[in-house]
């Protein structure tokens, strides 16, 4: 084959690559434009006050608890809920950090906020918190499970702290739900559990999913989804981290430990929603999870593309939506349902 023909082929291949690259850039630009437009819509929705018909809550009859709410998304969820006029309980592992957050909300913004120390990885701390919430308020109506950790930034994918990540994000959320359900007060509007999760934990995510097809099917099938399956899945991952075989285990490739923990949170959300769905009217508990997006907080090294105000919105919306509009066992982002 002559050099001229080879050059022609190279030119054609180069042209196709340029077209593909241009198309990819166009798709990214379109996706960014769609996201920015949706964020503008969300910002506008937040400015629209709830009508008297929509406001089923008050500071006298609704108590909301937000875990890990001394900073970041949790603090913003707490701020927005408190600004809507219900009783808000802010929690944090560190007492000083929690009290500083309360001071910021109460003195600087004029909001009424209560505080209690809570470490969701400590069974005794959860128990003590439950006793306090029962004695102080007679229970709670809204639980936002926000407490969570992630030790990777950018392209990092270390599993050095995998046990802490799974213990906090999955087991902490699960143990809080188990402890708080008996304390959730009967209401015509139903109680709410909102779990802060992530798209990285989707079972059938296109770029970041489990390689094991059978396990994916089990986790996505309500009939085969059990707590035992979830615990076994995360335990297998931790065991492989300890023996150094996790990279060949078929786990998600991005922020692996965080993704596994949020996959378990999403699945547990669906499982609990099904378990609680048989409750009678007046004793309903709606359980949902949502992805706040890539947010400008300490967890992302402040490199995110969403403000905490926009990121918190869906969690607040799920907490306050009217019972006739409420759903359960679903996954949301930007006030829209997305696939698990």
């Amino acid at each position: 084959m002559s050099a001229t023909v080879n050059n022609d082929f190279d030119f054609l291949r180069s042209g196709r690559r340029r077209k593909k690259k241009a198309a990819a850039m166009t798709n990214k630009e379109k996706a960014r434009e769609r996201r920015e437009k949706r964020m503008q819509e969300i910002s506008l929705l937040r400015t629209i006050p709830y009508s008297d018909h929509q406001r089923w809550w008050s500071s006298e009859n609704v108590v909301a608890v937000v875990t890990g709410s001394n900073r970041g998304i949790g603090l913003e969820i707490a701020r927005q809920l408190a600004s809507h006029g219900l009783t808000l309980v802010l929690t944090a592992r560190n007492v000083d950090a929690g009290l500083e957050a309360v001071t910021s909300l109460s003195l600087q913004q004029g909001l009424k906020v209560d505080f209690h120390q809570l470490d969701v990885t400590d069974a005794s701390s959860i128990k003590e918190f439950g006793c306090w919430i029962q004695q102080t308020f007679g229970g709670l109506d809204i639980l936002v499970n926000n407490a969570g950790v992630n030790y990777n930034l950018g392209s990092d994918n270390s599993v050095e702290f995998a046990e802490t990540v799974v213990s906090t994000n999955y087991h902490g959320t699960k143990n809080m739900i188990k402890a708080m359900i008996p304390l959730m007060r009967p209401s015509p509007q139903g109680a709410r559990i909102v779990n802060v999760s992530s798209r990285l934990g989707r079972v059938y995510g296109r770029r970041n999913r489990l390689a094991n097809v059978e396990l994916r099917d089990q986790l996505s099938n309500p009939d085969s989804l059990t707590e035992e399956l979830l615990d076994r899945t995360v335990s297998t991952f931790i065991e492989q981290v300890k023996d150094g075989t996790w990279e060949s285990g078929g786990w998600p490739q991005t922020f692996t430990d965080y993704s596994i923990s949020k996959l378990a949170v999403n699945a547990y959300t669906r499982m609990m929603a099904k378990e609680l769905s048989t409750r009678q009217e007046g004793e309903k508990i709606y359980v949902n999870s949502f992805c706040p997006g890539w947010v400008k907080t300490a967890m992302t090294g402040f490199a995110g593309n969403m403000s905490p105000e926009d990121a918190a919105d869906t969690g607040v919306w799920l907490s306050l939506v009217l019972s006739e509009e409420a759903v359960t066992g679903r996954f949301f982002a930007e006030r829209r349902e997305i696939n698990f």
Side-chain angles (χ1 to χ4, degrees):
M1 186 177 292
S2 69
T4 301
V5 174
N6 279 330
N7 288 338
D8 288 343
F9 278 139
D10 289 342
F11 179 77
L12 289 171
R13 282 196 294 267
S14 176
R16 284 195 292 267
R17 284 196 294 269
R18 285 196 299 271
K19 287 181 179 179
K20 286 183 179 179
K21 185 176 181 180
M25 288 299 294
T26 300
N27 290 336
K28 286 182 179 179
E29 289 170 357
K30 288 181 178 178
R32 184 172 63 251
E33 289 176 358
R34 288 195 298 269
R35 183 177 63 248
E36 290 175 353
K37 182 179 179 181
R38 184 56 183 165
M39 287 303 96
Q40 291 173 358
E41 293 172 355
I42 292 295
S43 296
L44 177 60
L45 287 170
R46 284 209 321 275
T47 66
I48 302 173
Y50 284 86
S51 67
D52 291 340
H53 167 69
Q54 293 171 313
R55 290 179 63 90
W56 55 271
W57 65 89
S58 72
S59 60
E60 289 76 30
N61 65 5
V62 172
V63 176
V65 172
V66 184
T67 68
S69 48
N70 59 290
R71 66 176 188 172
I73 299 170
L75 178 60
E76 182 57 28
I77 291 174
R79 188 193 69 78
Q80 290 188 28
L81 286 174
S83 69
H84 283 300
L86 41 69
T87 296
L88 192 287
V89 178
L90 183 150
T91 76
R93 283 181 300 176
N94 182 283
V95 173
D96 290 338
L99 291 175
E100 183 179 345
V102 170
T103 298
S104 171
L105 294 177
S106 59
L107 295 184
Q108 297 176 20
Q109 301 185 42
L111 300 174
K112 186 178 182 302
V113 178
D114 290 272
F115 170 74
H116 197 279
Q117 191 274 341
L118 173 64
D119 181 352
V120 300
T121 66
D122 184 342
S124 62
S125 179
I126 293 176
K127 183 177 181 180
E128 181 184 350
F129 178 79
C131 291
W132 176 81
I133 204 81
Q134 181 70 29
Q135 293 171 1
T136 307
F137 301 106
L140 71 160
D141 307 277
I142 299 170
L143 170 65
V144 181
N145 284 304
N146 167 78
V149 294
N150 173 40
Y151 292 93
N152 287 303
L153 292 173
S155 60
D156 297 342
N157 194 29
S158 168
V159 293
E160 180 182 356
F161 302 102
E163 281 191 273
T164 300
V165 172
V166 171
S167 175
T168 305
N169 298 358
Y170 168 57
H171 290 294
T173 294
K174 181 179 73 168
N175 292 337
M176 274 298 293
I177 290 174
K178 286 185 172 183
M180 294 301 111
I181 281 178
L183 306 180
M184 302 199 89
R185 304 185 298 190
S187 163
Q189 293 293 336
R192 318 294 168 88
I193 298 175
V194 179
N195 299 322
V196 180
S197 191
S198 172
R199 287 183 177 93
L200 289 174
R202 289 194 289 187
V203 174
Y204 284 101
R206 286 182 296 176
R207 299 179 182 177
N208 195 51
R209 62 182 180 182
L210 296 167
N212 188 324
V213 177
E214 181 182 0
L215 180 56
R216 291 206 306 261
D217 290 343
Q218 289 176 329
L219 291 171
S220 61
N221 184 348
D223 295 328
S224 61
L225 186 56
T226 63
E227 184 177 347
E228 181 184 5
L229 172 64
L230 293 177
D231 288 351
R232 186 169 66 247
T233 299
V234 298
S235 294
T236 299
F237 168 64
I238 294 299
E239 289 168 6
Q240 291 184 7
V241 167
K242 289 179 177 179
D243 64 27
T245 62
W246 69 273
E247 289 182 290
S248 60
W251 305 106
Q253 301 80 39
T254 303
F255 291 2
T256 302
D257 52 5
Y258 183 79
S259 297
I260 290 297
S261 71
K262 293 303 186 179
L263 183 150
V265 168
N266 284 339
Y268 191 73
T269 298
R270 294 169 59 231
M271 191 196 82
M272 287 307 301
K274 180 182 178 182
E275 182 177 315
L276 295 169
S277 65
T278 57
R279 289 197 164 207
Q280 298 178 350
E281 291 297 327
E283 298 181 356
K284 295 285 188 184
I285 300 177
Y286 302 102
V287 190
N288 295 287
S289 60
F290 82 101
C291 174
W294 196 35
V295 191
K296 296 175 185 177
T297 63
M299 186 176 282
T300 66
F302 298 95
N305 56 23
M306 289 183 67
S307 68
E309 291 81 6
D310 287 336
D313 175 79
T314 300
V316 174
W317 171 69
L318 286 170
S319 299
L320 301 181
V321 67
L322 284 167
S323 60
E324 56 260 35
E325 301 172 4
V327 294
T328 193
R330 310 288 180 84
F331 187 28
F332 291 86
E334 297 151 19
R335 296 200 187 193
R336 292 175 175 172
E337 185 178 351
I338 60 176
N339 294 328
F340 276 104

